[in-house]
Amino acid sequence: MNRQNCHDGGEVRTTINLDDDLVSTVKQYAESRSISVGKAVSELVRKGVSVWPRAVDGIQVIDLSADSPRVSAEHVRRLQEG
């Protein structure tokens, strides 16, 4: 099978350049879950693109999962105060 036909849900080998701090973070993530670095990158990228913002009346909105913690106005105020 040639490389062009590998996009049917299988794995595709590629090379990416990551900043040093991200390499460390990805390695820690992978080790904590007993998975490969490649699998860790796939999981983290998938999580990142799953919360892509959308515009609602000109305001950027991120849809979170149902089990995400609720954020109250009081919580935001405390964070703003530092």
Side-chain angles (χ1 to χ4, degrees), residues 27-60:
K27 284 181 178 180
Q28 289 174 4
Y29 180 91
E31 289 173 9
S32 72
R33 287 160 179 77
S34 299
I35 59 176
S36 69
V37 170
K39 177 75 172 168
V41 169
S42 292
E43 285 184 10
L44 292 167
V45 169
R46 194 171 286 114
K47 285 181 182 184
V49 299
S50 70
V51 292
W52 209 266
R54 60 186 174 90
V56 175
D57 297 327
I59 299 172
Q60 294 296 310

Side-chain angles (χ1 to χ4, degrees), residues 5-77:
N5 294 331
C6 291
H7 299 286
D8 58 3
E11 293 182 7
V12 176
R13 295 182 62 88
T14 190
T15 300
I16 60 173
N17 295 314
L18 298 174
D19 294 336
D20 291 339
D21 60 322
L22 290 178
V23 171
S24 175
T25 300
V26 170
K27 284 181 178 180
Q28 289 174 4
Y29 180 91
E31 289 173 9
S32 72
R33 287 160 179 77
S34 299
I35 59 176
S36 69
V37 170
K39 177 75 172 168
V41 169
S42 292
E43 285 184 10
L44 292 167
V45 169
R46 194 171 286 114
K47 285 181 182 184
V49 299
S50 70
V51 292
W52 209 266
R54 60 186 174 90
V56 175
D57 297 327
I59 299 172
Q60 294 296 310
V61 176
I62 297 174
D63 295 312
L64 301 176
S65 64
D67 62 344
S68 295
R70 299 288 176 212
V71 178
S72 67
E74 175 63 21
H75 186 204
V76 172
R77 186 187 62 73

